[in-house]
Amino acid sequence: MTGAKSRRKGHDFERAFCRWVREELGIQSFGRNLKQYGTAQEGDTDPLAGFLPECKNCARLNLRDWWRQARTQAERKGLQPLLIYNVARKGWRALIPSPGAGDAPWANDFEFTHDIGPAELAHIIRERL
C-alpha cells in the first residue's frame, strides 16, 4: 500500500472511532487531533476520560510497538494510554492499562494490558466521566 493510501486508511479509522465516541458516548465535541501532523507524540484524537487514544488500522498487528507509542504519548501529557486497533473483517478492539493498578510502576507495561471490545470500553469510559 502506498503512503497516501495508508494515511487515508488511518485517517478513515480515526474518523470512525470519533464517530463511535460521539454516537455511543454522546460526547459531541470529541474529534481528531489535527496537531498530530505537525508535532510528534500528540495522540490521534482528543483526550477521552483521562485516556489519550492512539488509533491503528493495519493489516499486521504490532501491538507491543503500538502500545509503546501510545504509552509514550500519553505519559508526556499526564494521561493513560489507550490503543484502539482495527482487525480487518473482525472489527476494532482496545488495549487499556491494567484496571486497578493505580500508580504502580508497572501499571502501563504491555504485559499488564487488557484487550477489550467496544462495549466494555464504553462502560469504562462512562464510569470515568
Side-chain angles (χ1 to χ4, degrees), residues 94-112:
L95 280 184
I96 62 168
S98 179
D103 294 330
W106 49 265
N108 290 336
D109 289 354
F110 179 77
E111 290 76 16
F112 298 102

Side-chain angles (χ1 to χ4, degrees), residues 30-92:
F30 189 80
R32 291 175 60 222
N33 178 7
L34 301 181
K35 289 192 318 185
Q36 67 179 305
Y37 305 107
T39 308
Q41 306 299 324
E42 278 290 325
D44 291 334
T45 69
D46 295 332
L48 180 60
F51 289 110
L52 185 63
E54 174 66 27
C55 300
K56 297 293 183 182
N57 188 15
C58 294
R60 289 191 200 104
L61 294 181
N62 193 356
L63 295 177
R64 187 174 293 273
D65 286 345
W66 296 343
W67 183 256
R68 190 176 306 117
Q69 178 188 0
R71 179 181 174 175
T72 300
Q73 292 174 175
E75 288 175 351
R76 286 184 60 182
K77 299 224 176 238
L79 299 167
Q80 288 187 298
L82 170 61
L83 175 62
I84 308 297
Y85 67 96
N86 192 41
V87 178
R89 295 177 295 283
K90 292 184 181 179
W92 63 270

Side-chain angles (χ1 to χ4, degrees), residues 4-23:
K5 284 184 183 178
S6 180
R7 281 189 302 277
R8 185 172 47 243
K9 187 171 99 171
H11 297 172
D12 288 347
F13 182 56
E14 290 169 10
R15 281 190 281 279
F17 176 68
C18 291
R19 196 168 34 256
W20 177 84
V21 169
R22 289 189 299 269
E23 292 171 2

